[in-house]
Amino acid sequence: MAAARPPDPRLVIQSDLLRPSFGTRLRRYFLTGLVLAAPLAITGSVTWWFINLVDGWVRPLIPAIFWPENYLPFPLPGFGVVIALVGLTLLGFFAANLVGRTLIGAGEAILNRMPVVRGLYKSVKQIFETIFSQSGTSFRKVGMVQFPQPGMWSIVFIAQEAAPEIAGKLPDGDEQIGVFLPCTPNPTTGFFFYLPRREVVEVAISVEDGAKLIMSAGLIQPGESQPKPRNGNGNGEPQGRG
């Protein structure tokens, strides 16, 4: 048996050439720290802003004698949030009995006689009832439509069928359905329009996954908690290159 020949030195890649450079490692560490810290910082900032906002609304409604700062050597953020939660719960409990429903009905009757306030109150109430309804079907499904032109598909949230007053003015009125097409990366803005049901392709994903897909511009696919790496090392860098 012939002895194996030693490898040609010209074809052997030195191990130090496969090792990433110092600058590449620094950039990788910085991006990793940014990915870890940025979501925490944004979540904390939004939460702190919401707590201060609710505290600012509730604090003027509470007598100063009940403020925890009068008995503690430090301010206690979130006290207004707790009071708001307790107050809303008690309000719901009060509205569930006969006396509460009677008083609320009387208050709404007064609002219905105010020309400007009446329309605003009804619109806001209907929106909240639709969003927080346990039995509603608004925005419970995700679909796709050809937008902005045929052959290009966009994610939409499927609403309800067109009301008879609207469907009667549209072609194929019995098959018209409303959809909301959100914008990237802010899904709270977008376009609402009616189109034939046959032109809407339902997708078997949740509204939450659909919102993630839109906010990440397609980087986070349904069922994923984070974007897929662009290559094998998971850090966005080509393998074996500096």
Side-chain angles (χ1 to χ4, degrees):
M1 182 180 297
R5 296 181 180 180
D8 191 342
R10 296 173 299 179
L11 302 178
V12 177
I13 301 177
Q14 302 296 328
S15 59
D16 56 347
L17 297 178
L18 299 176
R19 203 172 300 161
S21 64
F22 179 72
T24 300
R25 291 198 299 268
L26 280 181
R27 184 164 67 93
R28 187 179 302 169
Y29 297 152
F30 170 77
L31 293 177
T32 301
L34 181 63
V35 170
L36 293 175
L40 294 175
I42 294 175
T43 303
S45 299
V46 173
T47 303
W48 186 255
W49 168 82
F50 177 77
I51 290 176
N52 290 332
L53 179 65
V54 177
D55 284 350
W57 287 348
V58 176
R59 182 179 293 272
L61 305 177
I62 304 175
I65 191 175
F66 296 109
W67 293 357
E69 289 81 359
N70 297 331
Y71 309 98
L72 298 175
F74 54 87
L76 185 63
F79 178 72
V81 177
V82 175
I83 297 299
L85 292 176
V86 174
L88 291 175
T89 303
L90 293 177
L91 180 62
F93 172 77
F94 178 73
N97 56 59
L98 180 60
V99 177
R101 289 196 299 268
T102 303
L103 293 178
I104 292 177
E108 290 183 344
I110 297 175
L111 291 176
N112 288 334
R113 297 186 180 185
M114 299 181 181
V116 178
V117 179
R118 175 179 56 193
L120 177 62
Y121 173 75
K122 286 185 176 181
S123 300
V124 175
K125 181 181 179 181
Q126 187 174 8
I127 291 174
F128 272 81
E129 287 178 346
T130 302
I131 294 176
F132 294 101
S133 175
Q134 298 294 331
S135 58
T137 58
S138 297
F139 299 127
R140 296 291 195 271
K141 297 181 181 179
V142 181
M144 293 189 304
V145 299
Q146 297 192 65
F147 184 88
Q149 64 182 17
M152 301 178 65
W153 293 87
S154 299
I155 295 293
V156 296
F157 298 137
I158 300 175
Q160 297 179 353
E161 296 181 355
E165 296 80 3
I166 298 177
K169 303 296 183 179
L170 299 174
D172 300 331
D174 294 338
E175 296 295 332
Q176 293 287 338
I177 189 171
V179 297
F180 175 71
L181 191 152
C183 294
T184 300
N186 182 9
T188 60
T189 62
F191 306 93
F192 177 81
F193 49 87
Y194 291 99
L195 74 168
R197 181 184 292 273
R198 62 177 179 273
E199 297 184 9
V200 181
V201 179
E202 293 189 12
V203 183
I205 62 176
S206 64
V207 175
E208 181 182 3
D209 286 339
K212 291 180 181 178
L213 183 65
I214 293 168
M215 288 187 292
S216 66
L219 296 179
I220 300 180
Q221 296 297 319
E224 296 177 357
S225 58
Q226 59 185 0
K228 288 185 178 180
R230 290 176 293 178
N231 45 63
N233 61 7
N235 293 299
E237 300 293 337
Q239 288 184 337
R241 297 179 62 183

